[in-house]
Amino acid sequence: MKIRRRDFIAGAAATAALAGAPAIVRAQSATIKIGEINSYTTIPAFTLPYRNGWQLAVEEINAAGGVLGRKLEVISRDDAGKPEDAVRLAGELVNNEKVVLLAGTFLSHVGLAVSDYARQNKVYFMAAEPLSDAVTWAQGHKYCFRLRPSTYMQAAMLAEEAAKLPVKRWATVSPNYEYGQSAVKWFKELVQKKRPDVQFVAEQWPALGRIDAGATVQAIAQANPEGIFNVTFGPDLTNFVRQGNTRGLFEGRVVVSMLTGEPEYLDPLGDETPEGWIVTGYPWDQIDTPVHKAFREAYQKKFNDYPRVGSVVGYETFKSIAAAIKKAGSTDTEALIAASRGLVVDGVFGPYTFRAIDHQATLGAYVGKTALKNGRGVMVDWRYADGKDYLPPDDVVRQMRPDTT
Amino acid sequence: MDFVVAQFLTGLASASSLFLVASGLSIIFGVSRIVNFAHGSFYMLGAYLGWTFVTNLPYGHLGFWGGVLAATVAVGLIGVAIEIVLLRRIYAAPELFQLLATFGVVLVVQDLTLAIWGPQDLLGPRAPGLRGAVEILGQRFPRYELLLIVVGPVVLGLLWLLFHRTRWGTLVRAATQDREMVGALGVDQKLLFTSVFFLGACLAGLGGALQLPREPVTLAMDLSIIADAFVVVVVGGMGSIAGAYLAALLIAELQAFMLVAPPFTVLGIEIVLSKMTLIPSFIVMAVVLIVRPYGLLGRPMAHARAVTGMIEPVVRPAPRELKLVGLATLAVLLLAPLAAGDYGLIVLTEIVIFVLFAASLHFIMGPGGMVSFGHAAYFGLGAYGAALAVKHFAAPMSVALILAPLAAGLGGVLFGWFVVRLSGVYLAMLTLAFAQIVWSIAFQWVEVTGGDNGILGVWPAEWASNAYAFYYLALVLCVAGALLLRRIIYAPLGYALRAGRDSPLRAEAIGIPVARIQWAAFTCAALFAGLAGGLFAFSKGSVFPTYVSIPRSVDALMMVLLGGVQTISGPIVGAIVYAGLHEQLSRLTDYWRLILGLAIIVLVLAFPQGIAGAAQRWWYRGKGEVA
């Protein structure tokens, strides 16, 4: 029934396009406005490469003639890391700028706030980066789609690797907020499902951005685990690694670590990058598929800098939006939603799908090991973990997603 | 046992880092009474400059230590520049007004640092020769941490010698006790203040530069250290350097050992201390201040205002013209929806809510003389009160909006009882401690409050869901609230409150129960802040711990200071200017923090009495009266 309606809408749009040639001429002069919100001043290390990424995508799309014969115009706003500001700016973009849809956000709570605004005001929202599972599950709804692999997906990729190890005693260290809590919860659950013999002997919950690294390292060492699951990132990670290296925490222990292979977090570790950690990340300099090569070269040419994960997320977000508009054949919200369900996008990591069941994209991540080369950290022995293989079964998803509209 | 020793040593190293920053803050406050919000920025600049100097100087011992030294002096000079250009001009302004100026500096430094050093975290170089670890009782301990352990007490000793064995130190101590007398004896106060500021900034810069081998250099360093530094200074006793070391030690050791404390149960709630790393310092501060109102080693201080020779102006009834201006403003607000458009309404709604929020803070700050650094607690309690009622009891909006001020009022009753026992900056810091405790409950009690992901779906009732309807609802409630607060200022409660502010002794002598009056006023302010919070929750549709966070409290403080503490229309003007500026700038440019910071600095220099205060002066001068 749905498919038929979608076909009807697409058909109707095509008919209208053929019949109303003058309308098209008018439409060509008008741009498609897209509202974009992110924490540019609060988390510049991630969001500035992200902005470069979407600027490149929009440039490419417009150079190829835009979508539906119209150019994309992005109106971008800084939420200063505050959900209440993001909601106000969403109102501004929708009411004043008359954008056809909203996109962006990095922090989970900001993403959820904008998502709830979208639900209330019936606006399409493409959540780019927020990792929280709630975005597509507990608080998921019709109007919200999410690009990046969720906390669950990234934890599942690492749990798979961790279960293969001979480790029986695990310790976890994780920033004390929703992302860290979910990551640890899923990791424990998924590892123990495959390996009922493992136990978790210590948990450390440093506050985000405020780790007391020496004391944390000492406390973990005290529990004498065989393996460590790390979720800290950014400055916390650097502190943790430095203290851990000096105090010998990582000697003879395996470490499995979320996001550490992403250039945003790996590069600041410099020559102190610990070797042999099993991580999720993005080996930007080693992926030589033609699509990725073209992306990397275009990016380096335009910005004289190498792409980060943020760059890919920004790039893919706007490529996905363009694909959705193209498939919908219009910028009408209902048509966009219908088109986005099951939308397949040919991304720089390979093709991915926005699942109809929970609006989560199956974009994956690279899983590999860290190593030191020429005084900087790199990923080695990596493989691409396709997101579609790291999502729970459909009936479980349905249980976790109360909003089925 | 060996583990306990290692953990204790780790705590000692952290204590030294904390002490370096806090001691500078304490010294600056002791002499100039400036609550230097930009102290964290000095710390951050120390780290960034240190990184540049160390990585660009020839590597080796001289490179590292030379770089640290250069960064220390450079930050000191930046401090001097800020003191001469900015702070020196506003020493005569009302107490805490300098806080506003230093907040402007924080914003400017944030954007300049981003522009100069870029967004990526920088890895600080290790100290040559101190890279590895030594074995202590079988535990490996970093050499550099050993050095830090020594640095703290050494700096403490040097400062003691400086203050007790040099003429300069004697003068500074004299100025700490009685600035007027020191001036009368012919000491050049300007030079004294500038040199003290130099020393304080140097200490912050040194603290930042010495973090290079421990922490990456990041753009968040300034705000992450400043609250901790304030806590240490206050727990130790403002102006007491030995107290600052003691407090740093207490807090650092507590944090080191709570990471390994086993979980325990209180009243059926499992408490995992290792999950609550941010809160113990604030609990320590609350407990210390309740038991020792001037910190561990602090002494009651002479009232800072004495030096400026200013007395609070008598609050008079507004002149007819001002009433007309007020009525005209109200008329504009009532008619605004005709022209504003949907987004204009969203912004106006937010501004009228902030007007009530700022007015409630002004009520205790201006007439009450009680500065609150944690007014967001009551805003947040209101917002959470409303949201929880909607979420867990499916309460309609009208009921939730009644519950919001009640929840905040209860908080006011509870916290106010402790708060009114203190005064000045100690009082302000205790309000901050309570706000942080509320924040941590909102953040940590995930089952009830949703944690950092907040509570979603708090949208207005059907009849108010349209932007126009909600705007008028907010306008009516907020204007009514602000007028009611104004009415209370002119009521016996307001007069008694002002009497208690101006002369607690005389007020007590004529039978005014000052503490009880202040308690009532505090609760009253909490009540109205709660109403503002409840309205804010419905206007945003969701509630998050950010509503209770320090930046929210700072915003309110800035609005009141910007408008003028001693004028009743001050918070209204301040809220409109501050929120309006922020809204406009953040959409116009990426460098909105830089411009907002500069705008604040310009406003501070142009209107040291606040905008409304300046307008009032100008008005009375025109009339030939003395304000």
Side-chain angles (χ1 to χ4, degrees), chain B residues 184-537:
Chain B
L185 291 173
V187 176
D188 183 350
Q189 287 204 50
K190 275 187 180 169
L191 196 64
L192 200 61
F193 277 29
T194 308
S195 57
V196 164
F197 216 82
F198 175 74
L199 179 64
C202 276
L203 285 168
L206 178 66
L210 282 180
Q211 288 300 305
L212 283 175
R214 301 182 88 208
E215 283 185 40
V217 185
T218 75
L219 294 165
M221 286 178 92
D222 53 348
L223 294 182
S224 75
I225 194 84
I226 189 70
D228 277 352
F230 271 124
V231 168
V232 167
V233 169
V234 166
V235 169
M238 305 213 57
S240 162
I241 298 166
Y245 186 74
L246 199 63
L249 195 63
L250 180 68
I251 288 168
E253 290 297 350
L254 188 74
Q255 281 178 336
F257 280 100
M258 65 181 283
L259 291 186
V260 286
F264 59 93
T265 315
V266 177
L267 302 172
I269 301 171
E270 195 191 37
I271 308 259
V272 186
L273 278 181
S274 64
K275 276 195 169 188
M276 305 189 165
T277 44
L278 285 184
I279 284 314
S281 56
F282 288 99
I283 292 178
V284 166
M285 180 164 80
V287 171
V288 166
L289 286 182
I290 289 165
V291 179
R292 290 187 64 93
Y294 298 99
L296 291 173
L297 299 183
R299 271 175 298 183
M301 288 204 190
H303 206 247
R305 227 178 308 240
V307 75
T308 65
M310 268 188 44
I311 332 159
E312 308 297 347
V314 178
V315 179
R316 336 173 174 207
R320 211 166 58 90
E321 291 83 349
L322 184 62
K323 283 185 179 157
L324 286 177
V325 171
L327 275 178
T329 314
L330 192 60
V332 168
L333 286 174
L334 278 171
L335 296 176
L338 293 177
D342 275 350
Y343 176 60
L345 278 180
I346 294 173
V347 173
L348 280 175
T349 307
E350 206 171 297
I351 287 180
V352 296
I353 292 172
F354 283 148
V355 163
L356 178 60
F357 183 37
S360 72
L361 175 61
H362 168 263
F363 181 69
I364 45 173
M365 259 177 91
M370 296 181 281
V371 177
S372 170
F373 286 173
H375 207 51
Y378 313 100
F379 187 77
L381 280 172
Y384 270 98
L388 289 173
V390 170
K391 205 76 204 161
H392 293 287
F393 306 106
M397 182 177 81
S398 47
V399 175
L401 279 181
I402 294 168
L403 285 175
L406 289 182
L410 271 179
V413 170
L414 179 67
F415 298 146
W417 190 83
F418 296 102
V419 166
V420 297
R421 261 134 252 276
L422 306 180
S423 61
V425 175
Y426 293 99
L427 183 152
M429 290 303 287
L430 188 59
T431 60
L432 176 65
F434 287 132
Q436 285 303 92
I437 290 166
V438 173
W439 174 85
S440 78
I441 293 170
F443 194 89
Q444 307 250 6
W445 201 7
V446 179
E447 299 80 27
V448 174
T449 63
D452 49 308
N453 274 355
I455 300 171
L456 304 179
V458 192
W459 295 101
E462 195 63 44
W463 61 269
S465 62
N466 148 321
Y468 291 88
F470 194 81
Y471 170 68
Y472 281 115
L473 175 72
L475 185 67
V476 166
L477 288 177
C478 290
V479 168
L483 286 176
L484 205 58
L485 278 169
R486 184 176 173 282
R487 179 70 193 84
I488 298 173
I489 294 175
Y490 291 114
L493 175 66
Y495 281 98
L497 189 62
R498 279 181 273 148
R501 170 197 69 190
D502 291 339
S503 178
L505 265 184
R506 281 177 224 172
E508 290 278 5
I510 58 168
I512 296 174
V514 173
R516 261 172 52 201
I517 295 283
Q518 287 181 332
W519 189 21
F522 196 87
T523 306
C524 210
L527 218 66
F528 285 101
L531 178 60
L535 281 169
F536 196 68

Side-chain angles (χ1 to χ4, degrees), chain A residues 177-259:
Chain A
Y177 73 115
E178 200 266 351
Y179 162 63
Q181 290 152 4
S182 307
V184 168
K185 186 187 97 179
W186 291 126
F187 182 82
K188 273 185 175 176
E189 199 176 307
L190 293 169
V191 169
Q192 273 174 334
K193 204 152 115 202
K194 283 184 189 158
R195 288 278 303 277
D197 57 326
V198 303
Q199 44 172 324
F200 285 81
V201 293
E203 288 181 5
Q204 283 297 317
W205 298 98
L208 177 62
R210 306 287 298 282
I211 191 171
D212 188 351
T216 305
V217 164
Q218 210 74 42
I220 294 176
Q222 178 69 4
N224 197 21
E226 294 161 2
I228 299 166
F229 176 58
N230 166 61
V231 193
T232 65
F233 58 91
D236 289 335
L237 174 70
T238 312
N239 286 351
F240 179 66
V241 166
R242 275 196 151 170
Q243 291 282 351
N245 278 343
T246 322
R247 295 176 192 237
L249 177 68
F250 309 130
E251 286 163 24
R253 298 197 171 102
V254 283
V255 180
V256 173
S257 188
M258 295 269 279
L259 311 184

Side-chain angles (χ1 to χ4, degrees), chain A residues 137-155:
Chain A
W137 293 343
Q139 298 289 345
H141 57 88
K142 179 178 161 187
Y143 297 94
C144 175
F145 291 80
R146 192 238 318 264
L147 177 82
R148 238 191 139 189
S150 65
T151 311
Y152 176 91
M153 292 159 77
Q154 309 238 14

Side-chain angles (χ1 to χ4, degrees), chain A residues 286-298:
Chain A
Q286 303 167 56
I287 307 170
D288 285 326
T289 59
V291 192
H292 184 266
K293 234 174 144 175
F295 163 74
R296 184 173 64 211
E297 278 159 15

Side-chain angles (χ1 to χ4, degrees), chain A residues 51 78 84 88 92 96 109 116 120 176 178 204 210 218 222 239 242-243 247 251 272 308, chain B residues 7 120 124 126 139-140 145 212-213 215-216 228 275 343 350 457 540 546 552 587 590 592:
Chain A
R51 175 156 64 193
D78 171 32
E84 59 269 33
R88 189 190 67 228
E92 188 242 346
N96 263 21
H109 58 306
D116 203 47
Q120 178 74 6
N176 190 16
E178 200 266 351
Q204 283 297 317
R210 306 287 298 282
Q218 210 74 42
Q222 178 69 4
N239 286 351
R242 275 196 151 170
Q243 291 282 351
R247 295 176 192 237
E251 286 163 24
E272 300 196 25
R308 318 295 207 278
Chain B
Q7 203 71 344
Q120 188 161 309
R126 295 264 190 168
Q139 303 265 344
R140 255 197 266 175
E145 308 268 301
L212 283 175
E215 283 185 40
D228 277 352
K275 276 195 169 188
Y343 176 60
E350 206 171 297
K540 298 291 174 188
T546 51
R552 176 70 50 218
R587 290 194 295 130
D590 271 358
W592 62 267

